[in-house]
Amino acid sequence: MFLKVAFFAGLIFLVLEYIVFSHDKKLRRALGYKTSVDFRKGVGRLGKMFLKYFNRKEVEKRLNQAGNPWGLSIDSFVGLKILSPCVMAGIQLYLRANLYYLLVVSFFCFFLPDVLLVLVTNDRKRMINKELPDVVDIFESAAESGIDVGTAFNLAAEYVTGKALKKELSLLSARYAVTKDKENALLDFKDNADIYDVDLLVLALLQDTRTGKAKEMLQSLAHSQSNKMLAVIEKEGKAVEYRVLLACSFMAVTIAALVFYPYFSILDAGLHNIFN
């Protein structure tokens, strides 16, 4: 029942979003578009939205941002998306399940690999963000000391302990060592991480060759990262206080319930005798 409600709610939401953004008459009139509905263009847009799940470049980008979990390749990921709903539909047909249930489960199985990939990607981004302030400090110190870029990449890759960030920094160092192309190596690092703070770090490192102001940008970024870490620590401290307060409140309610339970029992018995 929950799957049915979720499926139809998502379908209704998509339809409403499509209507709102595609058929706003005032906006379309201001932009000079015709207000008539072009069925072929609508079908074409839906087809492009569906085909993006099978676009090799898009799938490769998403897998790289997730750190290529479970050793998935592009072909295996696409094959999993095709095979999962087919297998589930076959099972439901064998069990003679309801048609609506079959469609809902097949639809869910088609997007299940994407959901898992999003969860892995978000977890990986949290791990990278946790160690990123230390990496910024390393690059700032390297810029202040005049250390070579390749050496700075190696130092950063050796210093971090997190698996996700260590892998990306190792790849960054290897790309630069082989190609000596700092810009492309940093852009690949940025695309694989897909994090706003990493974008700022890459932009600061690229300023060394473009404007020669990498030190100033790295100092500013290191300051903002330290403030961010302080804010995160303060937030975690408040979360602990709230959890302790909630636990104490629960204990107080439990103790009060144990203390007053006999009185409520007596009161309930008395009212039962009076009205019966």
PDB file of all heavy atoms in Angstrom, residues 139 143 147-150 152-153 172-173 175-190 201-214 218:
ATOM      1  N   PHE A 139      47.937  22.811   1.442  1.00  0.00           N
ATOM      2  CA  PHE A 139      48.201  23.588   0.228  1.00  0.00           C
ATOM      3  C   PHE A 139      48.571  25.034   0.550  1.00  0.00           C
ATOM      4  O   PHE A 139      49.401  25.649  -0.137  1.00  0.00           O
ATOM      5  CB  PHE A 139      46.994  23.544  -0.701  1.00  0.00           C
ATOM      6  CG  PHE A 139      46.814  22.244  -1.417  1.00  0.00           C
ATOM      7  CD1 PHE A 139      45.652  21.508  -1.298  1.00  0.00           C
ATOM      8  CD2 PHE A 139      47.821  21.741  -2.237  1.00  0.00           C
ATOM      9  CE1 PHE A 139      45.486  20.309  -1.968  1.00  0.00           C
ATOM     10  CE2 PHE A 139      47.669  20.539  -2.910  1.00  0.00           C
ATOM     11  CZ  PHE A 139      46.498  19.827  -2.773  1.00  0.00           C
ATOM     12  N   ALA A 143      52.081  26.697  -0.484  1.00  0.00           N
ATOM     13  CA  ALA A 143      52.183  27.947  -1.241  1.00  0.00           C
ATOM     14  C   ALA A 143      53.045  28.967  -0.516  1.00  0.00           C
ATOM     15  O   ALA A 143      53.822  29.707  -1.141  1.00  0.00           O
ATOM     16  CB  ALA A 143      50.782  28.517  -1.489  1.00  0.00           C
ATOM     17  N   ILE A 147      56.776  25.393  -2.104  1.00  0.00           N
ATOM     18  CA  ILE A 147      56.948  23.984  -2.463  1.00  0.00           C
ATOM     19  C   ILE A 147      56.319  23.720  -3.823  1.00  0.00           C
ATOM     20  O   ILE A 147      55.277  24.289  -4.168  1.00  0.00           O
ATOM     21  CB  ILE A 147      56.316  23.072  -1.396  1.00  0.00           C
ATOM     22  CG1 ILE A 147      57.028  23.272  -0.060  1.00  0.00           C
ATOM     23  CG2 ILE A 147      56.360  21.604  -1.800  1.00  0.00           C
ATOM     24  CD1 ILE A 147      56.408  22.493   1.083  1.00  0.00           C
ATOM     25  N   ASP A 148      56.911  22.843  -4.594  1.00  0.00           N
ATOM     26  CA  ASP A 148      56.404  22.497  -5.920  1.00  0.00           C
ATOM     27  C   ASP A 148      55.004  21.904  -5.832  1.00  0.00           C
ATOM     28  O   ASP A 148      54.644  21.246  -4.844  1.00  0.00           O
ATOM     29  CB  ASP A 148      57.353  21.490  -6.584  1.00  0.00           C
ATOM     30  CG  ASP A 148      56.884  21.083  -7.962  1.00  0.00           C
ATOM     31  OD1 ASP A 148      56.850  21.944  -8.858  1.00  0.00           O
ATOM     32  OD2 ASP A 148      56.503  19.911  -8.116  1.00  0.00           O
ATOM     33  N   VAL A 149      54.210  22.142  -6.882  1.00  0.00           N
ATOM     34  CA  VAL A 149      52.823  21.684  -6.888  1.00  0.00           C
ATOM     35  C   VAL A 149      52.737  20.165  -6.786  1.00  0.00           C
ATOM     36  O   VAL A 149      51.926  19.625  -6.023  1.00  0.00           O
ATOM     37  CB  VAL A 149      52.116  22.171  -8.173  1.00  0.00           C
ATOM     38  CG1 VAL A 149      50.702  21.612  -8.251  1.00  0.00           C
ATOM     39  CG2 VAL A 149      52.076  23.683  -8.228  1.00  0.00           C
ATOM     40  N   GLY A 150      53.551  19.456  -7.554  1.00  0.00           N
ATOM     41  CA  GLY A 150      53.525  17.997  -7.500  1.00  0.00           C
ATOM     42  C   GLY A 150      53.855  17.473  -6.118  1.00  0.00           C
ATOM     43  O   GLY A 150      53.237  16.516  -5.635  1.00  0.00           O
ATOM     44  N   ALA A 152      53.352  19.089  -3.327  1.00  0.00           N
ATOM     45  CA  ALA A 152      52.199  19.420  -2.485  1.00  0.00           C
ATOM     46  C   ALA A 152      51.084  18.393  -2.661  1.00  0.00           C
ATOM     47  O   ALA A 152      50.444  17.981  -1.683  1.00  0.00           O
ATOM     48  CB  ALA A 152      51.691  20.821  -2.813  1.00  0.00           C
ATOM     49  N   PHE A 153      50.862  17.954  -3.894  1.00  0.00           N
ATOM     50  CA  PHE A 153      49.852  16.923  -4.136  1.00  0.00           C
ATOM     51  C   PHE A 153      50.214  15.626  -3.412  1.00  0.00           C
ATOM     52  O   PHE A 153      49.363  14.970  -2.804  1.00  0.00           O
ATOM     53  CB  PHE A 153      49.716  16.658  -5.635  1.00  0.00           C
ATOM     54  CG  PHE A 153      49.081  17.791  -6.408  1.00  0.00           C
ATOM     55  CD1 PHE A 153      49.254  17.891  -7.780  1.00  0.00           C
ATOM     56  CD2 PHE A 153      48.323  18.745  -5.770  1.00  0.00           C
ATOM     57  CE1 PHE A 153      48.670  18.928  -8.494  1.00  0.00           C
ATOM     58  CE2 PHE A 153      47.732  19.791  -6.467  1.00  0.00           C
ATOM     59  CZ  PHE A 153      47.918  19.886  -7.833  1.00  0.00           C
ATOM     60  N   LEU A 172      44.946  12.590  -8.393  1.00  0.00           N
ATOM     61  CA  LEU A 172      45.378  13.924  -8.788  1.00  0.00           C
ATOM     62  C   LEU A 172      46.897  13.988  -8.920  1.00  0.00           C
ATOM     63  O   LEU A 172      47.441  14.512  -9.909  1.00  0.00           O
ATOM     64  CB  LEU A 172      44.885  14.943  -7.758  1.00  0.00           C
ATOM     65  CG  LEU A 172      45.409  16.372  -7.889  1.00  0.00           C
ATOM     66  CD1 LEU A 172      44.971  17.001  -9.196  1.00  0.00           C
ATOM     67  CD2 LEU A 172      44.940  17.218  -6.706  1.00  0.00           C
ATOM     68  N   SER A 173      47.592  13.431  -7.929  1.00  0.00           N
ATOM     69  CA  SER A 173      49.054  13.432  -7.962  1.00  0.00           C
ATOM     70  C   SER A 173      49.587  12.614  -9.131  1.00  0.00           C
ATOM     71  O   SER A 173      50.545  13.022  -9.806  1.00  0.00           O
ATOM     72  CB  SER A 173      49.590  12.883  -6.636  1.00  0.00           C
ATOM     73  OG  SER A 173      50.995  12.811  -6.647  1.00  0.00           O
ATOM     74  N   ARG A 175      48.009  11.910 -12.015  1.00  0.00           N
ATOM     75  CA  ARG A 175      47.727  12.593 -13.290  1.00  0.00           C
ATOM     76  C   ARG A 175      48.735  13.716 -13.541  1.00  0.00           C
ATOM     77  O   ARG A 175      49.225  13.882 -14.658  1.00  0.00           O
ATOM     78  CB  ARG A 175      46.309  13.163 -13.271  1.00  0.00           C
ATOM     79  CG  ARG A 175      45.199  12.122 -13.382  1.00  0.00           C
ATOM     80  CD  ARG A 175      43.869  12.797 -13.670  1.00  0.00           C
ATOM     81  NE  ARG A 175      42.772  11.848 -13.584  1.00  0.00           N
ATOM     82  CZ  ARG A 175      41.966  11.732 -12.532  1.00  0.00           C
ATOM     83  NH1 ARG A 175      42.135  12.516 -11.474  1.00  0.00           N
ATOM     84  NH2 ARG A 175      40.985  10.847 -12.520  1.00  0.00           N
ATOM     85  N   TYR A 176      49.024  14.474 -12.501  1.00  0.00           N
ATOM     86  CA  TYR A 176      49.962  15.579 -12.684  1.00  0.00           C
ATOM     87  C   TYR A 176      51.376  15.053 -12.958  1.00  0.00           C
ATOM     88  O   TYR A 176      52.117  15.633 -13.772  1.00  0.00           O
ATOM     89  CB  TYR A 176      49.973  16.467 -11.450  1.00  0.00           C
ATOM     90  CG  TYR A 176      50.927  17.626 -11.563  1.00  0.00           C
ATOM     91  CD1 TYR A 176      50.615  18.726 -12.352  1.00  0.00           C
ATOM     92  CD2 TYR A 176      52.151  17.605 -10.897  1.00  0.00           C
ATOM     93  CE1 TYR A 176      51.501  19.786 -12.481  1.00  0.00           C
ATOM     94  CE2 TYR A 176      53.041  18.660 -11.018  1.00  0.00           C
ATOM     95  CZ  TYR A 176      52.716  19.742 -11.802  1.00  0.00           C
ATOM     96  OH  TYR A 176      53.603  20.781 -11.934  1.00  0.00           O
ATOM     97  N   ALA A 177      51.762  13.957 -12.292  1.00  0.00           N
ATOM     98  CA  ALA A 177      53.096  13.404 -12.501  1.00  0.00           C
ATOM     99  C   ALA A 177      53.270  12.879 -13.926  1.00  0.00           C
ATOM    100  O   ALA A 177      54.356  12.962 -14.499  1.00  0.00           O
ATOM    101  CB  ALA A 177      53.363  12.290 -11.495  1.00  0.00           C
ATOM    102  N   VAL A 178      52.208  12.349 -14.511  1.00  0.00           N
ATOM    103  CA  VAL A 178      52.293  11.773 -15.858  1.00  0.00           C
ATOM    104  C   VAL A 178      52.168  12.851 -16.930  1.00  0.00           C
ATOM    105  O   VAL A 178      52.940  12.878 -17.899  1.00  0.00           O
ATOM    106  CB  VAL A 178      51.209  10.694 -16.044  1.00  0.00           C
ATOM    107  CG1 VAL A 178      51.159  10.219 -17.498  1.00  0.00           C
ATOM    108  CG2 VAL A 178      51.476   9.516 -15.117  1.00  0.00           C
ATOM    109  N   THR A 179      51.195  13.749 -16.775  1.00  0.00           N
ATOM    110  CA  THR A 179      50.889  14.709 -17.841  1.00  0.00           C
ATOM    111  C   THR A 179      51.520  16.086 -17.633  1.00  0.00           C
ATOM    112  O   THR A 179      51.681  16.829 -18.610  1.00  0.00           O
ATOM    113  CB  THR A 179      49.370  14.897 -17.953  1.00  0.00           C
ATOM    114  OG1 THR A 179      48.872  15.459 -16.715  1.00  0.00           O
ATOM    115  CG2 THR A 179      48.669  13.568 -18.198  1.00  0.00           C
ATOM    116  N   LYS A 180      51.846  16.431 -16.385  1.00  0.00           N
ATOM    117  CA  LYS A 180      52.343  17.767 -16.038  1.00  0.00           C
ATOM    118  C   LYS A 180      51.334  18.858 -16.414  1.00  0.00           C
ATOM    119  O   LYS A 180      51.699  20.019 -16.575  1.00  0.00           O
ATOM    120  CB  LYS A 180      53.681  18.047 -16.735  1.00  0.00           C
ATOM    121  CG  LYS A 180      54.806  17.105 -16.321  1.00  0.00           C
ATOM    122  CD  LYS A 180      55.071  17.164 -14.832  1.00  0.00           C
ATOM    123  CE  LYS A 180      56.185  16.212 -14.432  1.00  0.00           C
ATOM    124  NZ  LYS A 180      56.435  16.235 -12.967  1.00  0.00           N
ATOM    125  N   ASP A 181      50.094  18.460 -16.567  1.00  0.00           N
ATOM    126  CA  ASP A 181      49.020  19.398 -16.901  1.00  0.00           C
ATOM    127  C   ASP A 181      48.233  19.681 -15.622  1.00  0.00           C
ATOM    128  O   ASP A 181      47.317  18.941 -15.252  1.00  0.00           O
ATOM    129  CB  ASP A 181      48.109  18.812 -17.981  1.00  0.00           C
ATOM    130  CG  ASP A 181      47.134  19.840 -18.538  1.00  0.00           C
ATOM    131  OD1 ASP A 181      46.944  20.879 -17.878  1.00  0.00           O
ATOM    132  OD2 ASP A 181      46.561  19.599 -19.618  1.00  0.00           O
ATOM    133  N   LYS A 182      48.587  20.735 -14.951  1.00  0.00           N
ATOM    134  CA  LYS A 182      47.990  21.057 -13.660  1.00  0.00           C
ATOM    135  C   LYS A 182      46.505  21.363 -13.777  1.00  0.00           C
ATOM    136  O   LYS A 182      45.694  20.902 -12.962  1.00  0.00           O
ATOM    137  CB  LYS A 182      48.731  22.238 -13.044  1.00  0.00           C
ATOM    138  CG  LYS A 182      48.151  22.732 -11.729  1.00  0.00           C
ATOM    139  CD  LYS A 182      48.918  23.936 -11.243  1.00  0.00           C
ATOM    140  CE  LYS A 182      48.267  24.522  -9.997  1.00  0.00           C
ATOM    141  NZ  LYS A 182      48.981  25.743  -9.529  1.00  0.00           N
ATOM    142  N   GLU A 183      46.138  22.121 -14.784  1.00  0.00           N
ATOM    143  CA  GLU A 183      44.745  22.560 -14.922  1.00  0.00           C
ATOM    144  C   GLU A 183      43.807  21.385 -15.142  1.00  0.00           C
ATOM    145  O   GLU A 183      42.791  21.253 -14.458  1.00  0.00           O
ATOM    146  CB  GLU A 183      44.627  23.565 -16.070  1.00  0.00           C
ATOM    147  CG  GLU A 183      43.217  24.124 -16.218  1.00  0.00           C
ATOM    148  CD  GLU A 183      43.154  25.277 -17.199  1.00  0.00           C
ATOM    149  OE1 GLU A 183      44.217  25.739 -17.632  1.00  0.00           O
ATOM    150  OE2 GLU A 183      42.029  25.712 -17.515  1.00  0.00           O
ATOM    151  N   ASN A 184      44.112  20.508 -16.099  1.00  0.00           N
ATOM    152  CA  ASN A 184      43.237  19.369 -16.376  1.00  0.00           C
ATOM    153  C   ASN A 184      43.190  18.393 -15.204  1.00  0.00           C
ATOM    154  O   ASN A 184      42.140  17.810 -14.914  1.00  0.00           O
ATOM    155  CB  ASN A 184      43.693  18.642 -17.639  1.00  0.00           C
ATOM    156  CG  ASN A 184      43.336  19.414 -18.894  1.00  0.00           C
ATOM    157  OD1 ASN A 184      42.350  20.144 -18.932  1.00  0.00           O
ATOM    158  ND2 ASN A 184      44.145  19.261 -19.936  1.00  0.00           N
ATOM    159  N   ALA A 185      44.322  18.214 -14.535  1.00  0.00           N
ATOM    160  CA  ALA A 185      44.344  17.316 -13.368  1.00  0.00           C
ATOM    161  C   ALA A 185      43.442  17.852 -12.264  1.00  0.00           C
ATOM    162  O   ALA A 185      42.673  17.097 -11.645  1.00  0.00           O
ATOM    163  CB  ALA A 185      45.773  17.154 -12.864  1.00  0.00           C
ATOM    164  N   LEU A 186      43.503  19.167 -12.023  1.00  0.00           N
ATOM    165  CA  LEU A 186      42.650  19.763 -10.994  1.00  0.00           C
ATOM    166  C   LEU A 186      41.181  19.752 -11.402  1.00  0.00           C
ATOM    167  O   LEU A 186      40.296  19.545 -10.558  1.00  0.00           O
ATOM    168  CB  LEU A 186      43.098  21.196 -10.721  1.00  0.00           C
ATOM    169  CG  LEU A 186      44.386  21.347  -9.906  1.00  0.00           C
ATOM    170  CD1 LEU A 186      44.839  22.795  -9.878  1.00  0.00           C
ATOM    171  CD2 LEU A 186      44.197  20.816  -8.486  1.00  0.00           C
ATOM    172  N   LEU A 187      40.895  19.943 -12.681  1.00  0.00           N
ATOM    173  CA  LEU A 187      39.504  19.915 -13.143  1.00  0.00           C
ATOM    174  C   LEU A 187      38.916  18.512 -13.013  1.00  0.00           C
ATOM    175  O   LEU A 187      37.737  18.360 -12.654  1.00  0.00           O
ATOM    176  CB  LEU A 187      39.419  20.401 -14.587  1.00  0.00           C
ATOM    177  CG  LEU A 187      39.695  21.894 -14.808  1.00  0.00           C
ATOM    178  CD1 LEU A 187      39.645  22.241 -16.282  1.00  0.00           C
ATOM    179  CD2 LEU A 187      38.715  22.751 -14.024  1.00  0.00           C
ATOM    180  N   ASP A 188      39.712  17.480 -13.291  1.00  0.00           N
ATOM    181  CA  ASP A 188      39.247  16.107 -13.083  1.00  0.00           C
ATOM    182  C   ASP A 188      38.980  15.848 -11.603  1.00  0.00           C
ATOM    183  O   ASP A 188      37.993  15.199 -11.239  1.00  0.00           O
ATOM    184  CB  ASP A 188      40.276  15.112 -13.607  1.00  0.00           C
ATOM    185  CG  ASP A 188      40.334  15.089 -15.125  1.00  0.00           C
ATOM    186  OD1 ASP A 188      39.353  15.510 -15.765  1.00  0.00           O
ATOM    187  OD2 ASP A 188      41.370  14.658 -15.675  1.00  0.00           O
ATOM    188  N   PHE A 189      39.858  16.350 -10.758  1.00  0.00           N
ATOM    189  CA  PHE A 189      39.677  16.221  -9.304  1.00  0.00           C
ATOM    190  C   PHE A 189      38.383  16.903  -8.863  1.00  0.00           C
ATOM    191  O   PHE A 189      37.622  16.372  -8.047  1.00  0.00           O
ATOM    192  CB  PHE A 189      40.886  16.830  -8.596  1.00  0.00           C
ATOM    193  CG  PHE A 189      40.756  16.931  -7.118  1.00  0.00           C
ATOM    194  CD1 PHE A 189      40.586  15.804  -6.331  1.00  0.00           C
ATOM    195  CD2 PHE A 189      40.803  18.166  -6.486  1.00  0.00           C
ATOM    196  CE1 PHE A 189      40.468  15.900  -4.946  1.00  0.00           C
ATOM    197  CE2 PHE A 189      40.680  18.278  -5.117  1.00  0.00           C
ATOM    198  CZ  PHE A 189      40.517  17.140  -4.344  1.00  0.00           C
ATOM    199  N   LYS A 190      38.113  18.076  -9.417  1.00  0.00           N
ATOM    200  CA  LYS A 190      36.887  18.822  -9.087  1.00  0.00           C
ATOM    201  C   LYS A 190      35.636  18.075  -9.536  1.00  0.00           C
ATOM    202  O   LYS A 190      34.658  17.967  -8.797  1.00  0.00           O
ATOM    203  CB  LYS A 190      36.931  20.204  -9.744  1.00  0.00           C
ATOM    204  CG  LYS A 190      35.706  21.055  -9.523  1.00  0.00           C
ATOM    205  CD  LYS A 190      35.815  22.391 -10.212  1.00  0.00           C
ATOM    206  CE  LYS A 190      35.614  22.250 -11.711  1.00  0.00           C
ATOM    207  NZ  LYS A 190      34.199  21.933 -12.045  1.00  0.00           N
ATOM    208  N   LEU A 201      38.661  25.275  -3.707  1.00  0.00           N
ATOM    209  CA  LEU A 201      40.072  24.898  -3.566  1.00  0.00           C
ATOM    210  C   LEU A 201      40.754  24.817  -4.931  1.00  0.00           C
ATOM    211  O   LEU A 201      41.874  25.318  -5.108  1.00  0.00           O
ATOM    212  CB  LEU A 201      40.174  23.561  -2.835  1.00  0.00           C
ATOM    213  CG  LEU A 201      41.578  22.954  -2.733  1.00  0.00           C
ATOM    214  CD1 LEU A 201      42.516  23.887  -1.973  1.00  0.00           C
ATOM    215  CD2 LEU A 201      41.522  21.586  -2.061  1.00  0.00           C
ATOM    216  N   VAL A 202      40.085  24.202  -5.882  1.00  0.00           N
ATOM    217  CA  VAL A 202      40.650  24.088  -7.230  1.00  0.00           C
ATOM    218  C   VAL A 202      40.812  25.471  -7.856  1.00  0.00           C
ATOM    219  O   VAL A 202      41.833  25.769  -8.500  1.00  0.00           O
ATOM    220  CB  VAL A 202      39.755  23.186  -8.109  1.00  0.00           C
ATOM    221  CG1 VAL A 202      40.179  23.252  -9.569  1.00  0.00           C
ATOM    222  CG2 VAL A 202      39.825  21.746  -7.617  1.00  0.00           C
ATOM    223  N   LEU A 203      39.811  26.329  -7.670  1.00  0.00           N
ATOM    224  CA  LEU A 203      39.898  27.686  -8.203  1.00  0.00           C
ATOM    225  C   LEU A 203      41.081  28.437  -7.598  1.00  0.00           C
ATOM    226  O   LEU A 203      41.816  29.146  -8.303  1.00  0.00           O
ATOM    227  CB  LEU A 203      38.600  28.437  -7.914  1.00  0.00           C
ATOM    228  CG  LEU A 203      38.521  29.889  -8.401  1.00  0.00           C
ATOM    229  CD1 LEU A 203      38.643  29.959  -9.914  1.00  0.00           C
ATOM    230  CD2 LEU A 203      37.214  30.530  -7.932  1.00  0.00           C
ATOM    231  N   ALA A 204      41.306  28.255  -6.286  1.00  0.00           N
ATOM    232  CA  ALA A 204      42.433  28.919  -5.633  1.00  0.00           C
ATOM    233  C   ALA A 204      43.763  28.393  -6.154  1.00  0.00           C
ATOM    234  O   ALA A 204      44.707  29.165  -6.378  1.00  0.00           O
ATOM    235  CB  ALA A 204      42.338  28.720  -4.124  1.00  0.00           C
ATOM    236  N   LEU A 205      43.872  27.083  -6.365  1.00  0.00           N
ATOM    237  CA  LEU A 205      45.123  26.504  -6.859  1.00  0.00           C
ATOM    238  C   LEU A 205      45.407  26.919  -8.301  1.00  0.00           C
ATOM    239  O   LEU A 205      46.572  27.060  -8.700  1.00  0.00           O
ATOM    240  CB  LEU A 205      45.071  24.982  -6.753  1.00  0.00           C
ATOM    241  CG  LEU A 205      45.060  24.410  -5.329  1.00  0.00           C
ATOM    242  CD1 LEU A 205      44.826  22.905  -5.358  1.00  0.00           C
ATOM    243  CD2 LEU A 205      46.361  24.731  -4.620  1.00  0.00           C
ATOM    244  N   LEU A 206      44.348  27.106  -9.091  1.00  0.00           N
ATOM    245  CA  LEU A 206      44.551  27.519 -10.477  1.00  0.00           C
ATOM    246  C   LEU A 206      44.981  28.980 -10.590  1.00  0.00           C
ATOM    247  O   LEU A 206      45.546  29.381 -11.613  1.00  0.00           O
ATOM    248  CB  LEU A 206      43.260  27.304 -11.275  1.00  0.00           C
ATOM    249  CG  LEU A 206      42.884  25.849 -11.579  1.00  0.00           C
ATOM    250  CD1 LEU A 206      41.538  25.788 -12.289  1.00  0.00           C
ATOM    251  CD2 LEU A 206      43.954  25.170 -12.432  1.00  0.00           C
ATOM    252  N   GLN A 207      44.718  29.770  -9.554  1.00  0.00           N
ATOM    253  CA  GLN A 207      45.111  31.178  -9.597  1.00  0.00           C
ATOM    254  C   GLN A 207      46.620  31.355  -9.588  1.00  0.00           C
ATOM    255  O   GLN A 207      47.131  32.411  -9.967  1.00  0.00           O
ATOM    256  CB  GLN A 207      44.497  31.935  -8.416  1.00  0.00           C
ATOM    257  CG  GLN A 207      42.989  32.009  -8.430  1.00  0.00           C
ATOM    258  CD  GLN A 207      42.441  32.510  -9.743  1.00  0.00           C
ATOM    259  OE1 GLN A 207      42.830  33.577 -10.215  1.00  0.00           O
ATOM    260  NE2 GLN A 207      41.556  31.749 -10.342  1.00  0.00           N
ATOM    261  N   ASP A 208      47.343  30.318  -9.160  1.00  0.00           N
ATOM    262  CA  ASP A 208      48.797  30.415  -9.126  1.00  0.00           C
ATOM    263  C   ASP A 208      49.387  30.609 -10.516  1.00  0.00           C
ATOM    264  O   ASP A 208      50.365  31.338 -10.705  1.00  0.00           O
ATOM    265  CB  ASP A 208      49.368  29.143  -8.476  1.00  0.00           C
ATOM    266  CG  ASP A 208      50.849  29.285  -8.185  1.00  0.00           C
ATOM    267  OD1 ASP A 208      51.318  30.422  -8.042  1.00  0.00           O
ATOM    268  OD2 ASP A 208      51.545  28.244  -8.113  1.00  0.00           O
ATOM    269  N   THR A 209      48.786  29.936 -11.507  1.00  0.00           N
ATOM    270  CA  THR A 209      49.281  30.051 -12.877  1.00  0.00           C
ATOM    271  C   THR A 209      48.569  31.154 -13.661  1.00  0.00           C
ATOM    272  O   THR A 209      49.103  31.644 -14.651  1.00  0.00           O
ATOM    273  CB  THR A 209      49.090  28.714 -13.624  1.00  0.00           C
ATOM    274  OG1 THR A 209      47.724  28.326 -13.553  1.00  0.00           O
ATOM    275  CG2 THR A 209      49.959  27.630 -13.003  1.00  0.00           C
ATOM    276  N   ARG A 210      47.384  31.555 -13.229  1.00  0.00           N
ATOM    277  CA  ARG A 210      46.627  32.550 -13.983  1.00  0.00           C
ATOM    278  C   ARG A 210      46.880  33.971 -13.499  1.00  0.00           C
ATOM    279  O   ARG A 210      47.111  34.879 -14.296  1.00  0.00           O
ATOM    280  CB  ARG A 210      45.131  32.231 -13.892  1.00  0.00           C
ATOM    281  CG  ARG A 210      44.757  30.919 -14.558  1.00  0.00           C
ATOM    282  CD  ARG A 210      43.270  30.624 -14.417  1.00  0.00           C
ATOM    283  NE  ARG A 210      42.900  29.376 -15.069  1.00  0.00           N
ATOM    284  CZ  ARG A 210      41.674  28.847 -15.052  1.00  0.00           C
ATOM    285  NH1 ARG A 210      40.700  29.472 -14.400  1.00  0.00           N
ATOM    286  NH2 ARG A 210      41.426  27.711 -15.666  1.00  0.00           N
ATOM    287  N   THR A 211      46.803  34.188 -12.190  1.00  0.00           N
ATOM    288  CA  THR A 211      46.962  35.544 -11.649  1.00  0.00           C
ATOM    289  C   THR A 211      48.090  35.644 -10.632  1.00  0.00           C
ATOM    290  O   THR A 211      48.458  36.752 -10.242  1.00  0.00           O
ATOM    291  CB  THR A 211      45.650  36.009 -10.983  1.00  0.00           C
ATOM    292  OG1 THR A 211      45.348  35.135  -9.879  1.00  0.00           O
ATOM    293  CG2 THR A 211      44.502  35.968 -11.964  1.00  0.00           C
ATOM    294  N   GLY A 212      48.598  34.508 -10.159  1.00  0.00           N
ATOM    295  CA  GLY A 212      49.655  34.531  -9.152  1.00  0.00           C
ATOM    296  C   GLY A 212      49.174  34.912  -7.771  1.00  0.00           C
ATOM    297  O   GLY A 212      49.973  35.318  -6.915  1.00  0.00           O
ATOM    298  N   LYS A 213      47.877  34.790  -7.507  1.00  0.00           N
ATOM    299  CA  LYS A 213      47.306  35.159  -6.207  1.00  0.00           C
ATOM    300  C   LYS A 213      46.761  33.943  -5.466  1.00  0.00           C
ATOM    301  O   LYS A 213      45.762  34.029  -4.761  1.00  0.00           O
ATOM    302  CB  LYS A 213      46.188  36.190  -6.398  1.00  0.00           C
ATOM    303  CG  LYS A 213      46.659  37.507  -6.987  1.00  0.00           C
ATOM    304  CD  LYS A 213      45.519  38.488  -7.102  1.00  0.00           C
ATOM    305  CE  LYS A 213      45.995  39.822  -7.676  1.00  0.00           C
ATOM    306  NZ  LYS A 213      44.882  40.798  -7.809  1.00  0.00           N
ATOM    307  N   ALA A 214      47.421  32.812  -5.609  1.00  0.00           N
ATOM    308  CA  ALA A 214      46.951  31.595  -4.945  1.00  0.00           C
ATOM    309  C   ALA A 214      47.065  31.703  -3.431  1.00  0.00           C
ATOM    310  O   ALA A 214      46.213  31.204  -2.693  1.00  0.00           O
ATOM    311  CB  ALA A 214      47.730  30.386  -5.456  1.00  0.00           C
ATOM    312  N   LEU A 218      44.030  30.969  -0.895  1.00  0.00           N
ATOM    313  CA  LEU A 218      44.158  29.821   0.001  1.00  0.00           C
ATOM    314  C   LEU A 218      44.035  30.258   1.463  1.00  0.00           C
ATOM    315  O   LEU A 218      43.448  29.536   2.284  1.00  0.00           O
ATOM    316  CB  LEU A 218      45.486  29.110  -0.238  1.00  0.00           C
ATOM    317  CG  LEU A 218      45.574  28.264  -1.513  1.00  0.00           C
ATOM    318  CD1 LEU A 218      46.996  27.790  -1.752  1.00  0.00           C
ATOM    319  CD2 LEU A 218      44.631  27.067  -1.444  1.00  0.00           C
TER     320      LEU A 218
END
